[in-house]
Amino acid sequence: MKNAEAFAPLNEAELQELDRYLLYEVDSDEAMTLDMADGFLHAIAVGPTTIHPAQWLPKIFGGMPPVKSQDQLNHVIGLIMRHYNGIITGLEFETPEMMPVWSTRDYLGETYEDGEDWAYGFFEGMRLCWSDWMPMLDTEEGQAWLRPLGLLGEEDFDPDQDELTETPTQRADLTAQIPDAVLSMYLFWLPYRHAIHEREVAKAMQPKVGRNDPCPCGSGKKFKKCCGAAGTLH
C-alpha cells in the first residue's frame, strides 16, 4: 500500500464493507462490531502509550480474522489500519477533530445517537495499558472526561447509572459529550507522547561506544578502563 493511500480515510462504501465483514464473516463471540472497534482505536490513538498493531489487531477480530486468501487478509487489515490512521490524522489537525462511528436507535419516531458500544470499545482500548492512564484518571478533570464513557460503556460504573441512562434522550446526551471528552484526553496526553517520541529519537541518535573507544565522560581513558569497568561510576 502506498504511503498516501495508507492515510486516506475510509469512504462510506469501505466503512460499510468493514461493518459487514465484522458482523457477518467473523465468527467469534470476542469480535468487535464497527462502532466498538472505532472506540477501541480512538482509545489507542489518544492514550498515553504507543501500542504496536500486533497487540491490538487480534482483539478486534477475536483472534485471527477468517479469510479465504492472503490477499483478503491484507485487504481487511488494510481497512483497519487506514481507519486507525484516519483517526490519527484528524487528531493531528491544527484544531484536533474526531468523527466517531457509532450506532443510532429509533424510538417513537425519533432517531437518537447511542454510543454504548463505542464507549465499551474505548474502555477495551484503555485496558491494554490501564496503569498508564492513571495519571489522568487520578485528576478531577480526567474523571469528568471519563464519566460519559463510563456511564454508557461500563457495568457498575456509578450507583445511579441505571437512572442516568434509562431513556434514549439521556443516552444521546451522554453520547454527545464523548467527542469533547476524548479530545480533552488527547490534549492531556499530547505533551507526554511528544516527550516520549523525542526521547526515543535522542536515544536512536546517540552513538554507541565501543569498549576501546574514548570514554564519553571526558576522562581521556578508554571506556573499558573507565565508566565501562565493572563497579566504576563517574
Side-chain angles (χ1 to χ4, degrees):
M1 183 181 298
K2 295 180 180 179
N3 190 53
E5 294 175 348
F7 286 87
L10 299 187
N11 58 40
E12 189 62 31
E14 289 169 325
L15 282 171
Q16 291 178 3
E17 177 188 357
L18 184 57
D19 186 26
R20 288 193 299 269
Y21 179 83
L22 293 172
L23 276 175
Y24 303 118
E25 296 190 40
V26 180
D27 186 19
S28 170
D29 292 339
E30 303 300 321
M32 297 184 181
T33 58
L34 179 60
D35 47 355
M36 285 182 196
D38 191 62
F40 180 71
L41 294 174
H42 272 81
I44 295 168
V46 307
T49 305
T50 300
I51 304 173
H52 195 278
Q55 293 178 257
W56 54 256
L57 268 171
K59 294 186 178 297
I60 293 178
F61 303 114
M64 180 68 178
V67 291
K68 299 176 182 177
S69 67
Q70 185 70 36
D71 287 343
Q72 186 188 22
L73 175 64
N74 289 332
H75 177 67
V76 170
I77 291 178
L79 291 176
I80 294 286
M81 293 306 304
R82 276 182 52 205
H83 189 54
Y84 175 62
N85 289 335
I87 291 169
I88 293 174
T89 298
L91 293 170
E92 290 180 342
F93 288 157
E94 184 174 351
T95 301
E97 64 180 43
M98 56 178 284
M99 299 182 64
V101 178
W102 49 43
S103 301
T104 58
R105 313 288 186 196
D106 293 329
Y107 181 73
L108 297 179
E110 297 287 338
T111 300
Y112 300 89
E113 293 188 335
D114 192 332
E116 177 181 354
D117 289 343
W118 197 97
Y120 173 83
F122 192 91
F123 268 88
E124 289 298 294
M126 291 179 67
R127 288 189 179 96
L128 294 176
C129 56
W130 187 267
S131 61
D132 294 348
W133 284 81
M134 293 311 296
M136 187 199 81
L137 299 179
D138 286 339
T139 67
E140 291 185 7
E141 294 89 350
Q143 293 168 16
W145 299 331
L146 194 68
R147 183 169 175 77
L149 291 150
L151 288 172
L152 288 171
E154 280 284 272
E155 294 184 4
D156 302 322
F157 181 80
D158 186 281
D160 300 322
Q161 187 166 0
D162 290 343
E163 296 177 10
L164 295 171
T165 59
E166 185 176 4
T167 70
T169 300
Q170 288 174 310
R171 300 170 72 81
D173 288 344
L174 289 169
T175 300
Q177 297 173 37
I178 289 177
D180 284 345
V182 171
L183 289 175
S184 295
M185 294 180 192
Y186 169 72
L187 293 174
F188 179 93
W189 290 117
L190 188 59
Y192 177 79
R193 294 186 72 127
H194 280 171
I196 292 294
H197 174 72
E198 290 170 2
R199 187 171 67 193
E200 292 302 316
V201 170
K203 284 170 61 178
M205 294 175 61
Q206 184 176 353
K208 294 182 179 180
V209 179
R211 286 181 54 77
N212 290 313
D213 292 337
C215 188
C217 75
S219 67
K221 300 178 182 179
K222 290 184 178 181
F223 178 66
K224 66 181 181 182
K225 296 290 187 180
C226 191
C227 293
T232 301
L233 296 177
H234 283 267

